Amino acid sequence: MTRHADHTSSQFSGLGLVHRPRRNRKSDWARRLVREHQLSVDDLIWPLFVCEGQSIREPIASMPGVFRHSVDQLVEQAKQARDLGIPVIALFPYTPPTLRDADGSEALNQNNLVCQACRAVKSAVPEVGLLTDVALDPYTSHGHDGLLQDGHILNDQTVEVLVRQAVVQAQAGADIIAPSDMMDGRVAAIRAGLDDHGFHDVQIMAYAAKYASAFYGPFRDAVGSNATLVGDKRTYQMDPFNTNEALHEVALDLEEGADMVMVKPGMPYLDIIHRVKDSFGRPTFAYQVSGEYAMIEAASANGWLDGDKAMMESLAAFKRAGADGILTYFAPRAAEKLLKR
Ligand code: PBG
């Protein structure tokens, strides 16, 4: 065995240290052997945007590498998810402006974009799980997640609509309903609505701790709600300065029957993910949102950081914080890297 002498002096016999943490980092195999957390393809949920038309793949300027796909193209993306082993895709529609109204009524159309996409993906790629977002913002002319009256978002009336939206999505084949609206009491109401219609096995992943965040900007470009949004969402999404309130929100959603909970955004809220997982020990997901993706991509495009490495490091952070899985626009890229190893 070769001994690595200290190069500064051949006489130097070392510090007599008992603890040398660097030993466990001396090579790739040694680092892998003691690695505390793992990221696998099974941890990934891939959000995808759907638009009208045929053979369409429309770039989103603020999210380089992300596209809006027409339903036929979306099916191809779902096949890619299957081939990579990504368990779930999440669908978000770009509703044509002419179909947006004050009540978001297109959300209840059984033939809206999301429902068409669900049916097409379910029949072509039944192996992939389908998550659909419940909230009215892609459908309302004012860009809010709920019904708006005299500048106020109506809670209970909105919940009634959300229940119907969830049932319509389940009828189209959604496997996981993900309410992202932050209305009070919606999880219990949606659970009851799904059960009434025989959808006992449709899961609910609650956007339980969702903050009023600037990091959703590029997403709102993607679904076209930036152009329409009147005011902000601070009367329903959470104040970024709060922690205990997040635990309260999560406790309520679990009590109301959520099967899984989510914290959103991701990287600026790792402390919340950690506390949620620690306090409840239930399936906990992080949403690495559009603005987080855009930041990494923008810096990488400028040559300011290595995009692939920053991507993997950001995903490692979620696992370290305690997340069971991550919704991320990086899903296919990360999956390819993970499978190549
Ligand atoms: C809609 C919704 C939003 C996101 C997911 N669902 C935006 C918002 O609440 O304004 C954001 C996702 C992202 O930024 O990637 N309720």
Side-chain angles (χ1 to χ4, degrees):
M1 200 183 98
T2 50
R3 246 183 102 223
H4 293 270
D6 193 294
H7 296 299
T8 53
S9 149
S10 53
Q11 262 90 53
F12 186 61
S13 61
L15 298 170
L17 293 178
V18 173
H19 298 289
R20 289 186 182 272
R22 288 182 54 192
R23 282 187 200 114
N24 285 345
R25 301 178 202 138
K26 67 183 174 188
S27 60
D28 182 62
W29 66 259
R31 290 188 293 270
R32 281 191 286 127
L33 188 67
V34 298
R35 190 158 289 157
E36 297 174 44
H37 299 279
Q38 304 293 335
L39 176 70
S40 115
V41 174
D42 295 335
D43 299 324
L44 303 173
I45 298 180
W46 183 10
L48 287 160
F49 298 105
V50 201
C51 65
E52 284 206 323
Q54 189 73 27
S55 311
I56 293 187
R57 201 167 172 268
E58 202 169 49
I60 299 156
S62 51
M63 300 180 76
V66 176
F67 300 83
R68 298 186 196 102
H69 297 277
S70 52
V71 172
D72 57 301
Q73 293 302 304
L74 188 86
V75 169
E76 298 309 309
Q77 303 297 294
K79 287 179 184 161
Q80 198 188 331
R82 175 197 58 201
D83 296 344
L84 291 167
I86 295 172
V88 177
I89 60 173
L91 304 181
F92 296 95
Y94 176 88
T95 307
T98 50
L99 295 179
R100 297 179 196 226
D101 60 23
D103 299 335
S105 56
E106 178 65 6
L108 304 180
N109 174 3
Q110 299 190 329
N111 206 30
N112 67 22
L113 269 174
V114 162
C115 292
Q116 287 178 37
C118 282
R119 282 191 291 269
V121 170
K122 265 292 149 200
S123 73
V125 200
E127 305 89 336
V128 170
L130 268 182
L131 180 152
T132 53
D133 211 68
V134 164
L136 299 181
D137 55 313
Y139 310 98
T140 50
S141 45
H142 45 72
H144 279 287
D145 295 29
L147 302 173
L148 186 66
Q149 192 179 65
D150 304 327
H152 294 286
I153 300 296
L154 304 173
N155 192 86
D156 300 14
Q157 292 87 332
T158 298
V159 170
E160 276 177 38
V161 181
L162 298 176
V163 171
R164 292 167 61 200
Q165 182 184 19
V167 170
V168 165
Q169 292 175 349
Q171 285 165 340
D175 299 295
I176 305 174
I177 298 293
S180 70
D181 54 283
M182 288 299 278
M183 296 301 118
D184 296 331
R186 89 281 205 217
V187 172
I190 289 171
R191 183 71 269 160
L194 290 172
D195 289 354
D196 279 351
H197 288 79
F199 295 114
H200 299 97
D201 289 335
V202 169
Q203 293 150 281
I204 296 179
M205 179 186 286
Y207 285 74
K210 177 172 178 180
Y211 287 85
S213 173
F215 291 95
Y216 307 149
F219 173 96
R220 292 180 189 167
D221 288 338
V223 301
S225 65
N226 250 344
T228 54
L229 184 62
V230 180
D232 59 53
K233 302 192 177 184
R234 287 183 295 176
T235 68
Y236 45 107
Q237 299 180 348
M238 286 180 48
D239 183 338
F241 282 85
N242 293 354
T243 304
N244 290 324
E245 189 188 9
L247 298 182
H248 182 53
E249 284 281 6
V250 169
L252 290 174
D253 284 359
L254 288 170
E255 254 170 58
E256 290 180 30
D259 302 286
M260 301 170 266
V261 292
M262 189 206 298
V263 173
K264 178 184 175 191
M267 267 220 294
Y269 296 86
L270 290 172
D271 58 321
I272 308 296
I273 297 166
H274 188 252
R275 282 196 63 190
V276 166
K277 186 64 189 182
D278 243 28
S279 308
F280 301 98
R282 300 287 292 277
T284 302
F285 289 79
Y287 199 142
Q288 182 175 49
V289 299
S290 56
E292 300 175 62
Y293 174 86
M295 286 196 298
I296 293 175
E297 284 303 285
S300 155
N302 274 297
W304 294 340
L305 49 72
D306 179 323
D308 266 18
K309 286 189 177 141
M311 163 181 82
M312 295 311 275
E313 189 176 330
S314 68
L315 295 172
F318 295 119
K319 295 301 293 182
R320 225 173 46 239
D324 294 288
I326 306 122
L327 291 93
T328 175
Y329 303 96
F330 287 123
R333 228 165 94 191
E336 265 164 31
K337 258 187 111 65
L338 288 166
L339 296 173
K340 250 190 242 140
R341 259 199 10 138

